[in-house]
Amino acid sequence: ESAIRPGEAGVVYFFAPWCFYCKTSIDNLDDLVDSGAVAWGTAVALDYESAAEVAEFVADTGISLPVLMGDGRTAAGWSVRGFPTYYVIDAEGRIHSRSVGYSTKLGMRWRAWRAR
């Protein structure tokens, strides 16, 4: 199954396992999906040293959504220059908004709501 679901709004969240703000905000992504604010969410690991480092981050944060392994090409393709970076994707598959840095649950929910 694809991480992005056409016809439904969602969020792609880019993180680095060493990033403090990623650790403190990634649960907002789970909450967005669990609350129904968006239909799907996907986290993408970047700037990591090993898969074990990413697995430890996932275990420590308890995120339950899909986590993909990205690389430098992924970061360049999505213009990720800081962490966390997240994109809200609308139901038609277009990028609705982009945000860099910590965002509150309310901030993420508001951006997701506008993409519906």
Side-chain angles (χ1 to χ4, degrees):
E1 179 181 346
S2 173
I4 295 176
R5 298 191 338 222
E8 299 177 299
V11 175
V12 180
Y13 183 98
F14 296 92
F15 72 94
W18 49 262
C19 168
F20 171 79
Y21 294 107
C22 300
K23 287 181 183 175
T24 59
S25 69
I26 200 164
D27 66 327
N28 294 343
L29 180 57
D30 265 338
D31 290 343
L32 272 181
V33 175
D34 291 345
S35 71
V38 294
W40 57 269
T42 299
V44 181
L46 297 173
D47 199 25
Y48 53 86
E49 302 221 1
S50 68
E53 181 184 20
V54 175
E56 183 178 340
F57 176 92
V58 170
D60 288 348
T61 60
I63 186 168
S64 61
L65 296 171
V67 177
L68 306 176
M69 305 294 278
D71 58 21
R73 290 182 314 183
T74 308
W78 285 84
S79 299
V80 175
R81 293 183 185 90
F83 299 106
T85 294
Y86 70 93
Y87 287 86
V88 176
I89 311 296
D90 70 17
E92 295 177 18
R94 296 178 303 215
I95 295 171
H96 181 270
S97 65
R98 174 180 185 262
S99 184
V100 178
Y102 180 82
S103 185
T104 64
K105 289 180 186 181
L106 184 59
M108 287 181 86
R109 187 177 299 261
W110 180 75
R111 287 178 186 87
W113 176 79
R114 291 185 52 222
R116 290 179 149 205

